[in-house]
Amino acid sequence: MTLTIGIDIGGTSVRAGVVTADGTVIDTARAETPRSAAALERCLDRVVQELRVEHDVRAVGLAVAGFLDPSRQVVAFAPHLPWREAKVPSEMAARIGLPVVMEHDANSAAWAEFVHGAARQAHVTCVVALGTGIGAGLLIDGALYRGAFGVAPELGHLQVVPDGRPCECGKAGCWERYCSGTALVETAIDLMGGSGSRGVQLARELADDPGSLTGRKVAAAAEAGDPVAQEAVGELARWLGVGLAMVCDVFDPDLIVLSGGVGASSRLFLDDAREHYARQLTGGKYRRKARIRATELGERAGMLGAAALARDAVSR
Ligand SMILES: [Zn+2]
């Protein structure tokens, strides 16, 4: 039985798992993401050594939230990680004595859905992760599509509202500013500003600590019947439909998989989003539409995908 380790390296935590060929996670390790590059590398080595004590591991896969070079050997830049032009996999392989592969985190998650999850047997699949922002991965005929320079598909920064909400990328009106956990909070706060005492539960959360509201809390409040939270979720569904129609006009996929922290609440907005999507899609009445499904793997997808890519690298 060939075992590999997948490590999802996010801005707040490092999550690792020992994974079997069928995608079963048999052991895990977790750490807070250190702030310096040297400390992060020591942390990764430690996590791997810890898991290797009990398991005969053949390779390691890293899922990284950042811009990678086209050969996936260098992290050029990662907004929430300390690496800049860092040769992460080759240096780590030399330190730990195992093959190490690296992939963008959204691509890893998309690969996991294709190998183990909601996208098995799909031909053209777009995985859209709704979290702090939007992460996206695209699979065409069973292969990840990364573009000519390794940065595709950057769907979160498609402009959906000219002169809309400012975005950290420097533009304004990007899709993720209307359709993400962060967007859900901003929409809820905007709606409360204009609605006096509506949104009892959310208003209380805000009064306790204005910075404490998260997309998950808004989703939970919507589920509990809070009218403002429900309106905010309705807005997210509308923008999700608008964006997915654009995505489908470009790629014509047979399947869209929704994942990420907000994607986990997709039962709240999936039906609405499908309606908006069908209305916005060019020639929608006269063409076959992509199915839109929720993730089967949840937040483990990045780790599972990295482990599967590591397995492919050593079994080739
Ligand atoms: Zn943007």
Side-chain angles (χ1 to χ4, degrees):
M1 186 168 65
T2 306
L3 299 176
T4 55
I5 293 177
I7 310 183
D8 195 344
I9 307 166
T12 52
S13 65
V14 168
R15 294 191 297 178
V18 178
V19 184
T20 66
D22 68 359
T24 307
V25 179
I26 58 171
D27 202 353
T28 59
R30 195 178 175 131
E32 268 182 40
T33 308
R35 293 278 148 249
S36 78
L40 176 53
E41 283 149 18
R42 278 197 301 274
C43 168
L44 295 177
D45 295 357
R46 198 168 55 238
V47 161
V48 169
Q49 300 305 0
E50 193 182 311
L51 293 169
R52 279 175 91 181
V53 171
E54 296 285 333
H55 308 284
D56 182 17
V57 172
R58 293 279 310 281
V60 175
L62 307 176
V64 177
F67 284 89
L68 313 184
D69 76 313
S71 67
R72 298 181 303 289
Q73 292 298 313
V74 179
V75 178
F77 167 71
H80 306 293
L81 296 173
W83 286 320
R84 300 288 180 269
E85 298 296 338
K87 292 176 183 160
V88 175
S90 59
E91 290 178 3
M92 184 170 173
R95 290 194 309 270
I96 65 172
L98 282 175
V100 178
V101 303
M102 179 169 73
E103 184 53 86
H104 185 271
D105 62 344
N107 285 348
S108 291
W111 186 249
E113 296 290 351
F114 177 67
V115 177
H116 302 300
R120 278 169 296 195
Q121 282 143 25
H123 293 289
V124 179
T125 306
C126 197
V127 178
V128 178
L130 307 176
T132 310
I134 290 180
L138 181 64
L139 284 149
I140 298 177
D141 296 332
L144 284 167
Y145 179 78
R146 304 179 177 93
F149 304 109
V151 298
E154 212 38 88
L155 301 181
H157 301 282
L158 291 175
Q159 193 188 47
V160 294
V161 182
D163 302 319
R165 291 175 180 168
C167 183
E168 276 180 31
C169 75
K171 301 191 294 181
C174 296
W175 189 24
E176 70 174 35
R177 300 298 293 112
Y178 297 85
C179 192
S180 63
T182 317
L184 202 50
V185 171
E186 192 167 339
T187 304
I189 289 171
D190 284 355
L191 290 169
M192 273 186 283
S195 62
S197 61
R198 290 199 302 143
V200 180
Q201 185 177 336
L202 284 183
R204 202 163 49 227
E205 298 253 13
L206 268 183
D208 287 348
D209 178 1
S212 72
L213 205 54
T214 62
R216 279 172 211 261
K217 285 184 182 173
V218 177
E223 200 145 20
D226 183 292
V228 168
Q230 286 178 341
E231 207 173 323
V233 169
E235 276 293 284
L236 179 130
R238 183 164 73 87
W239 288 113
L240 182 57
V242 167
L244 290 183
M246 291 168 75
V247 168
C248 290
D249 277 345
V250 178
F251 298 115
D252 192 23
D254 54 329
L255 178 68
I256 304 267
V257 178
L258 297 179
S259 64
V262 179
S265 302
S266 63
R267 66 189 175 284
L268 288 175
F269 53 78
L270 201 50
D271 288 345
D272 269 3
R274 283 193 184 108
E275 269 178 42
H276 290 296
Y277 153 76
R279 266 202 300 276
Q280 294 280 334
L281 193 62
T282 307
K285 278 185 189 164
Y286 308 101
R287 61 191 266 190
R288 288 180 64 187
K289 294 180 194 62
R291 289 175 301 141
I292 305 174
R293 302 183 56 188
T295 170
E296 284 183 11
L297 305 173
E299 297 193 84
R300 283 186 159 183
M303 174 215 291
L304 286 169
L309 289 162
R311 177 181 313 283
D312 292 349
V314 288
S315 59
R316 242 185 254 131

